[in-house]
Coordinates of all heavy atoms in Angstrom, one line a residue:
Y539 N 90.9 99.4 75.2 CA 92.3 99.6 75.4 C 92.6 101.1 75.5 O 91.9 102.0 74.9 CB 93.1 99.1 74.2 CG 92.9 97.6 73.9 CD1 92.1 97.2 72.8 CD2 93.5 96.7 74.7 CE1 91.9 95.8 72.6 CE2 93.3 95.3 74.5 CZ 92.5 94.9 73.4 OH 92.3 93.6 73.2
R540 N 93.6 101.5 76.3 CA 94.0 102.9 76.5 C 95.5 103.0 76.6 O 96.0 103.3 77.7 CB 93.3 103.5 77.7 CG 93.4 105.0 77.8 CD 92.4 105.5 78.8 NE 92.5 107.0 78.8 CZ 91.4 107.7 79.2 NH1 90.3 107.2 79.6 NH2 91.6 109.0 79.2
P541 N 96.2 102.9 75.5 CA 97.6 103.1 75.6 C 97.9 104.6 75.7 O 97.2 105.4 75.2 CB 98.1 102.6 74.2 CG 97.0 102.7 73.3 CD 95.7 102.4 74.2
R542 N 99.0 104.9 76.4 CA 99.3 106.3 76.6 C 100.8 106.6 76.2 O 101.6 105.7 76.4 CB 99.2 106.7 78.1 CG 97.8 106.5 78.7 CD 97.7 106.7 80.2 NE 96.4 106.7 80.8 CZ 95.8 105.6 81.1 NH1 96.3 104.4 81.0 NH2 94.5 105.7 81.7
D543 N 101.0 107.7 75.7 CA 102.4 108.1 75.3 C 103.0 108.9 76.5 O 103.0 110.1 76.6 CB 102.4 109.0 74.0 CG 103.8 109.1 73.4 OD1 104.8 109.0 74.2 OD2 103.9 109.4 72.2
W544 N 103.6 108.1 77.4 CA 104.1 108.7 78.6 C 105.3 109.7 78.3 O 105.3 110.7 78.9 CB 104.6 107.6 79.5 CG 103.6 106.6 79.9 CD1 103.5 105.3 79.4 CD2 102.5 106.7 80.8 NE1 102.4 104.6 79.9 CE2 101.8 105.5 80.8 CE3 102.1 107.8 81.6 CZ2 100.6 105.3 81.6 CZ3 100.9 107.6 82.4 CH2 100.2 106.4 82.4
Q545 N 106.2 109.3 77.5 CA 107.3 110.1 77.2 C 106.9 111.4 76.6 O 107.5 112.5 76.9 CB 108.3 109.4 76.3 CG 109.0 108.2 77.0 CD 110.0 107.5 76.1 OE1 110.0 107.7 74.9 NE2 110.9 106.7 76.7
A546 N 106.0 111.4 75.6 CA 105.6 112.6 75.0 C 104.9 113.6 76.0 O 105.1 114.8 75.9 CB 104.6 112.3 73.8
A547 N 104.1 113.0 76.9 CA 103.5 113.8 77.9 C 104.5 114.5 78.8 O 104.3 115.7 79.2 CB 102.5 112.9 78.8
E548 N 105.6 113.8 79.2 CA 106.6 114.4 80.1 C 107.4 115.4 79.3 O 107.6 116.5 79.9 CB 107.5 113.3 80.6 CG 106.8 112.4 81.6 CD 107.8 111.6 82.5 OE1 108.9 112.2 82.7 OE2 107.5 110.5 83.0
K549 N 107.7 115.2 78.1 CA 108.4 116.2 77.3 C 107.6 117.4 77.1 O 108.1 118.5 77.0 CB 108.8 115.5 76.0 CG 110.0 114.5 76.1 CD 110.3 114.0 74.7 CE 111.5 112.9 74.8 NZ 111.8 112.4 73.5
G550 N 106.3 117.2 76.9 CA 105.4 118.3 76.7 C 104.9 119.1 77.9 O 104.1 120.0 77.8
G551 N 105.5 118.6 79.1 CA 105.1 119.3 80.3 C 103.7 119.0 80.8 O 103.1 119.8 81.6
R552 N 103.1 117.9 80.3 CA 101.7 117.5 80.7 C 101.7 116.5 81.8 O 100.6 115.9 82.0 CB 101.0 117.1 79.4 CG 101.0 118.0 78.3 CD 100.0 117.6 77.2 NE 100.2 116.2 76.8 CZ 101.1 115.9 75.8 NH1 101.9 116.8 75.3 NH2 101.2 114.6 75.5
S553 N 102.8 116.2 82.4 CA 102.8 115.2 83.4 C 103.3 115.7 84.8 O 104.2 116.6 84.8 CB 103.8 114.1 83.0 OG 104.0 113.1 84.0
I554 N 102.6 115.3 85.8 CA 103.1 115.7 87.2 C 103.9 114.5 87.8 O 104.0 114.4 89.0 CB 101.9 116.1 88.1 CG1 100.9 114.9 88.3 CG2 101.2 117.3 87.5 CD1 99.9 115.2 89.4
A555 N 104.4 113.6 86.9 CA 105.1 112.4 87.5 C 106.3 112.9 88.3 O 106.6 112.3 89.4 CB 105.6 111.5 86.3
P556 N 107.0 114.0 88.0 CA 108.1 114.4 88.9 C 107.6 114.8 90.3 O 108.3 114.5 91.3 CB 108.7 115.6 88.1 CG 108.4 115.4 86.7 CD 107.0 114.7 86.7
Y557 N 106.4 115.4 90.3 CA 105.9 115.7 91.6 C 105.5 114.5 92.4 O 105.8 114.4 93.6 CB 104.6 116.6 91.4 CG 104.1 117.2 92.7 CD1 104.6 118.3 93.2 CD2 103.0 116.6 93.3 CE1 104.1 118.9 94.4 CE2 102.4 117.2 94.5 CZ 103.0 118.3 95.0 OH 102.5 118.9 96.2
I558 N 104.9 113.5 91.7 CA 104.6 112.2 92.4 C 105.8 111.5 92.9 O 105.9 111.0 94.0 CB 103.8 111.3 91.4 CG1 102.5 112.0 90.9 CG2 103.5 109.9 92.0 CD1 101.5 112.2 92.0
T559 N 106.9 111.6 92.1 CA 108.1 111.0 92.5 C 108.7 111.6 93.7 O 109.2 111.0 94.7 CB 109.2 111.1 91.3 OG1 108.7 110.5 90.1 CG2 110.5 110.5 91.7
K560 N 108.6 113.0 93.8 CA 109.1 113.7 95.0 C 108.3 113.3 96.2 O 108.9 113.1 97.3 CB 109.0 115.2 94.7 CG 109.4 116.1 95.9 CD 110.8 115.9 96.3 CE 111.7 116.6 95.3 NZ 113.2 116.6 95.7
L561 N 107.0 113.1 96.1 CA 106.2 112.7 97.2 C 106.6 111.4 97.8 O 106.8 111.2 99.0 CB 104.7 112.7 96.8 CG 104.0 114.0 96.5 CD1 102.6 113.7 96.1 CD2 104.0 114.9 97.7
N562 N 106.8 110.4 96.9 CA 107.2 109.1 97.3 C 108.7 109.1 97.9 O 109.0 108.3 98.8 CB 107.1 108.1 96.2 CG 105.7 107.6 96.0 OD1 104.9 107.6 97.0 ND2 105.3 107.3 94.8
Q563 N 109.5 110.0 97.4 CA 110.9 110.1 98.0 C 110.8 110.7 99.4 O 111.5 110.2 100.3 CB 111.7 111.0 97.1 CG 112.1 110.4 95.8 CD 112.8 111.4 94.8 OE1 112.7 112.6 95.0 NE2 113.5 110.9 93.8
I564 N 109.9 111.6 99.6 CA 109.7 112.2 100.9 C 109.2 111.1 101.9 O 109.7 111.0 103.0 CB 108.7 113.4 100.9 CG1 109.4 114.6 100.1 CG2 108.3 113.8 102.3 CD1 108.4 115.7 99.8
R565 N 108.3 110.3 101.4 CA 107.7 109.2 102.3 C 108.8 108.3 102.7 O 108.9 107.8 103.8 CB 106.6 108.5 101.5 CG 105.3 109.2 101.4 CD 104.4 108.5 100.4 NE 104.3 107.1 100.6 CZ 103.4 106.5 101.4 NH1 102.5 107.3 102.1 NH2 103.3 105.2 101.5
A566 N 109.7 107.9 101.7 CA 110.8 107.0 101.9 C 111.8 107.5 102.9 O 112.4 106.7 103.7 CB 111.4 106.6 100.6
A567 N 112.0 108.8 102.9 CA 113.0 109.4 103.8 C 112.5 109.7 105.2 O 113.4 110.0 106.1 CB 113.5 110.7 103.1
H568 N 111.2 109.7 105.4 CA 110.7 110.2 106.7 C 109.8 109.1 107.4 O 108.7 108.9 107.0 CB 109.9 111.5 106.5 CG 110.8 112.6 106.2 ND1 111.5 113.3 107.2 CD2 111.2 113.2 105.0 CE1 112.3 114.3 106.6 NE2 112.1 114.2 105.3
P569 N 110.4 108.4 108.4 CA 109.6 107.4 109.0 C 108.3 107.9 109.7 O 107.4 107.1 109.9 CB 110.6 106.8 110.1 CG 111.6 107.9 110.2 CD 111.7 108.6 108.9
A570 N 108.2 109.1 110.0 CA 107.0 109.6 110.6 C 105.8 109.5 109.7 O 104.7 109.3 110.1 CB 107.2 111.1 111.0
L571 N 106.1 109.5 108.4 CA 105.0 109.4 107.4 C 104.6 108.0 107.1 O 103.6 107.7 106.5 CB 105.5 110.0 106.0 CG 105.7 111.5 106.1 CD1 106.2 112.0 104.7 CD2 104.5 112.3 106.5
R572 N 105.4 107.0 107.7 CA 105.0 105.6 107.6 C 104.2 105.1 108.8 O 104.1 103.9 109.0 CB 106.3 104.8 107.4 CG 107.0 105.2 106.1 CD 108.0 104.1 105.7 NE 109.2 104.1 106.6 CZ 110.3 104.8 106.5 NH1 110.3 105.8 105.6 NH2 111.3 104.7 107.3

Side-chain angles (χ1 to χ4, degrees):
Y539 301 108
R540 190 167 185 155
R542 300 169 174 88
D543 192 336
W544 303 104
Q545 291 184 343
E548 290 198 30
K549 288 181 180 179
R552 303 190 309 277
S553 174
I554 62 169
Y557 188 80
I558 300 299
T559 302
K560 176 65 72 174
L561 292 177
N562 281 330
Q563 289 173 343
I564 292 170
R565 284 167 51 86
H568 290 278
L571 296 179
R572 299 195 291 274

